Structures are given as C-alpha cells and as structure tokens.
Amino acid sequence: MRTSVLFVCLGNICRSPLAEAVFRSLVEAEGLADRFTIDSAGTSNYHTGDSPDARTVSTAAVRGVRVEHAARQVTPEDFSRFDYILAMDAENLRRLERVVSKLDRAVEVRLLREYDPEAEDSAEVPDPYFGGTRGFEDVHDLIERACRGLLAHIRAQRGM
Ligand code: 4NP
C-alpha cells in the first residue's frame, strides 16, 4: 500500500506545487519513490488548469527541483484517497477541517510547518504571490525544512 500525501494552498500555483516537488525529490533521494503517491491542490478554483507560477519554477530550479503541475481544486474524493493532507496556512487548514470533521476515516490534516523543527506553533507558509522573488526563496526554505520533518514523521509512523 502506498502512502499518499496531498499538499494544499489557495491557488495551487505557488506553495503547494512546490511542496509537492520538494517532497517528491526528498522521497526519491531516500529511494522510496514507489512507496508514495504525492500530489497538490488548491482550496480555490482561481487558477484551475494553470502551470505553476514562473517565480516558483525558477526559484526551485536554482535549487535543482523541477516543479511540474496543473492546478486543480481540492475535491471530496481527496479526503478518501489521501492519508496525509498538509495545509500551507491556517485559512486553508480551516477550509479542509470543515470537510474532515464529517469523515469517519483517519486522515491526518495538519499545517505543513508542524513538521518544521524551527517553527513555532501554528506557523504558516506565507503566501508569496503578491510579493517579490525573495518571498519565493524564503518560502522554498521553509517548505524544504518542513518536508524533511514530514518525511521523517511518516517514516517513523509507518515503520519505513
Ligand atoms: P498559492 O498562491 O496559494 O501559494 O498558490 C496564490 C496564488 C494565487 C492567488 C493567491 C495565492 N490569487 O489570489 O490568485
């Protein structure tokens, strides 16, 4: 059985496709690619079908991470398909929790930065969309740290 992980932000063009790509590269580096299904989605439909933001793609490319995704909105089926759903910020977590409270299935829905060892409680991945390139670099650093923590958490929880 594969472990399935979904990253969620608002537009699914900046933060969550980056988290998807960073997490995938970590999983591949640890030789676990065939043990995971990894995807991302947005709580909005603002950018459905769009490619990732050019700033996300270029910032990640500098760090050797390729970001390829077509934006999509979170669907009800995602809550039965995924084992771990990671929200980038509190507003997106709140939107997900509204659905999760009605489920009987155990799906772990958390803020991604819960797994960032340097983050305080309730820390978010800030939305870089309306800022400059520097914001995208900072977001990449936060996401990479949190994704390392998330992978360690999942490996420990699942005995991998
Ligand atoms: P994301 O960033 O949620 O990280 O993909 C955003 C992308 C688009 C918008 C807001 C945030 N928007 O308002 O269109």
Side-chain angles (χ1 to χ4, degrees), residues 9-17 46-47 127-130:
C9 62
L10 177 62
N12 193 212
I13 55 168
C14 297
R15 293 165 290 175
S16 61
Y46 301 160
H47 291 277
D127 183 354
Y129 185 66
F130 296 104

Side-chain angles (χ1 to χ4, degrees), residues 13-26:
I13 55 168
C14 297
R15 293 165 290 175
S16 61
L18 177 63
E20 175 194 341
V22 166
F23 190 73
R24 183 173 291 119
S25 74
L26 295 174

Side-chain angles (χ1 to χ4, degrees), residues 86-105:
L86 290 312
M88 298 299 130
D89 62 41
E91 173 58 24
N92 289 301
L93 179 65
R94 201 174 56 76
R95 292 187 187 194
L96 296 169
E97 282 177 337
R98 256 191 250 147
V99 183
V100 170
S101 63
K102 301 186 189 110
L103 302 176
D104 45 16
R105 179 173 181 269

Side-chain angles (χ1 to χ4, degrees), residues 3 14 18 48 63 87 109 111 131 154 159:
T3 296
C14 297
L18 177 63
T48 297
R63 291 160 159 88
V109 181
L111 285 172
I154 292 174

